[in-house]
């Protein structure tokens, strides 16, 4: 079974600074997909970024980028130029690409952005 | 942009009552899911649904739970006899398939009293 570990229950960052959220996962599969979802106080789950395991290039999406280290099974999220609206719970998620394509989530990291 | 819609956004029910949570997945998606998030905890997989049948379910999804796609657009989760521990946010989600992003609805917050 796959597991996803987020070792930082809480993080804080100053507005306009950069922060990195950590995520590691465990799987025996070679074909899989990784995601970061953001959950603001409204509790909606919003996709931030996705990464295909077969791609060596790290995904980027505006101020959000990932550092994907396949051998180390690590998938960290970097938020540059942090904004107050980035404050939320961030969940790392793993999709095995198997028959049901379900997501396995980590426990989340609560990000606070200080003005 | 297409989105997953869920109703109701919040429901309060008495223990032992039946609850139906409704979802309209994105129209060209083939895979449908229900996830649950107890307050302060991580999001947990309940069930996946493909080709008009359950493709996988978690150990949480016991005989009290059922899912149905009664027509071409709706996807429902029924809890037959609610318990206090069923209080949670229930997310519906959908996807086109392998490796595609799974899109979530805004959630239905269920409170069992």
């Amino acid at each position: 079974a796959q597991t996803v570990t987020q070792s930082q229950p809480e993080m804080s960052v100053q507005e306009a600074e950069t922060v990195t959220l950590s995520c590691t996962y465990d799987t025996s599969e070679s074909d899989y997909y990784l995601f970061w979802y953001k959950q603001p106080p409204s509790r909606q789950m919003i996709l931030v970024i996705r990464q295909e395991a077969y791609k060596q290039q790290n995904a980027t999406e505006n101020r959000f980028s990932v550092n994907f280290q396949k051998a180390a099974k690590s998938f960290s999220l970097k938020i540059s130029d942090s904004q107050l609206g980035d404050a939320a719970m961030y969940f790392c998620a793993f999709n095995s690409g198997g028959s049901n394509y379900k997501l396995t989530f980590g426990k989340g990291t609560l990000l606070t952005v200080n003005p | 942009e297409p989105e997953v819609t869920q109703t109701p956004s919040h429901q309060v029910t008495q223990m032992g009552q039946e609850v139906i949570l409704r979802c309209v997945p994105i129209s060209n998606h083939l895979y449908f899911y229900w996830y649950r998030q107890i307050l302060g905890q991580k999001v947990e997989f309940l069930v996946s649904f493909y080709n008009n049948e359950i493709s996988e379910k978690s150990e949480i999804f016991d005989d009290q739970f059922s899912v149905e796609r009664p027509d071409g657009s709706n996807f429902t989760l029924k809890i037959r006899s609610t318990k206090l521990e069923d209080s949670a946010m229930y997310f519906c989600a959908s996807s086109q398939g392998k490796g595609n992003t799974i899109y979530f609805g805004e959630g239905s917050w269920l409170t069992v009293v």
Side-chain angles (χ1 to χ4, degrees):
Chain A
Q2 292 85 13
T3 59
V4 178
T5 303
Q6 293 180 250
S7 59
Q8 306 152 317
E10 296 184 28
M11 291 283 284
S12 64
V13 63
Q14 289 296 125
E15 197 175 3
E17 297 293 306
T18 296
V19 65
T20 298
L21 308 184
S22 301
C23 173
T24 59
Y25 58 94
D26 189 24
T27 183
S28 57
E29 301 191 29
S30 58
D31 180 22
Y32 54 87
Y33 305 83
L34 296 160
F35 303 83
W36 280 97
Y37 282 88
K38 169 185 176 181
Q39 187 179 44
S42 66
R43 301 195 70 186
Q44 185 176 4
M45 295 292 287
I46 301 167
L47 176 69
V48 176
I49 200 164
R50 69 190 291 265
Q51 174 81 44
E52 295 91 340
Y54 62 84
K55 287 188 178 178
Q56 291 187 326
Q57 187 173 6
N58 289 323
T60 63
E61 194 70 46
N62 300 316
R63 296 181 296 106
F64 299 87
S65 62
V66 298
N67 183 4
F68 173 48
Q69 301 289 326
K70 190 171 183 178
K73 295 180 182 174
S74 170
F75 182 61
S76 60
L77 174 70
K78 185 171 84 170
I79 307 174
S80 304
D81 186 25
S82 297
Q83 300 175 0
L84 295 177
D86 295 333
M89 182 72 89
Y90 286 81
F91 290 98
C92 178
F94 174 98
N95 180 326
S96 69
S99 59
N100 296 310
Y101 320 132
K102 70 177 185 187
L103 288 170
T104 300
F105 284 87
K107 290 187 176 181
T109 296
L110 180 62
L111 178 66
T112 304
V113 181
N114 301 310
Chain B
E1 185 177 320
E3 58 181 21
V4 177
T5 58
Q6 290 185 242
T7 54
S9 56
H10 189 194
Q11 182 163 351
V12 180
T13 190
Q14 292 222 320
M15 192 168 54
Q17 294 296 304
E18 177 182 282
V19 162
I20 297 176
L21 305 179
R22 292 182 168 81
C23 170
V24 179
I26 295 173
S27 61
N28 64 344
H29 284 187
L30 302 175
Y31 293 82
F32 314 117
Y33 310 86
W34 284 99
Y35 288 81
R36 180 182 82 175
Q37 186 183 31
I38 295 171
L39 187 63
Q41 298 188 22
K42 70 176 180 180
V43 180
E44 300 173 292
F45 169 77
L46 290 179
V47 65
S48 59
F49 192 87
Y50 170 71
N51 201 26
N52 286 319
E53 61 183 18
I54 290 174
S55 49
E56 185 175 350
K57 58 184 180 180
S58 72
E59 57 188 27
I60 302 169
F61 194 89
D62 60 21
D63 292 344
Q64 294 297 314
F65 292 88
S66 63
V67 290
E68 194 177 37
R69 187 155 162 84
D71 53 42
S73 59
N74 292 286
F75 179 51
T76 62
L77 174 69
K78 182 192 292 186
I79 308 175
R80 224 177 309 280
S81 176
T82 50
K83 304 173 213 165
L84 295 176
E85 54 265 37
D86 293 328
S87 294
M89 179 75 94
Y90 288 82
F91 290 102
C92 176
S94 70
S95 165
Q96 285 183 315
K98 179 176 180 176
N100 293 103
T101 298
I102 295 177
Y103 291 92
F104 285 79
E106 293 190 349
S108 293
W109 179 237
L110 176 65
T111 302
V112 182
V113 297

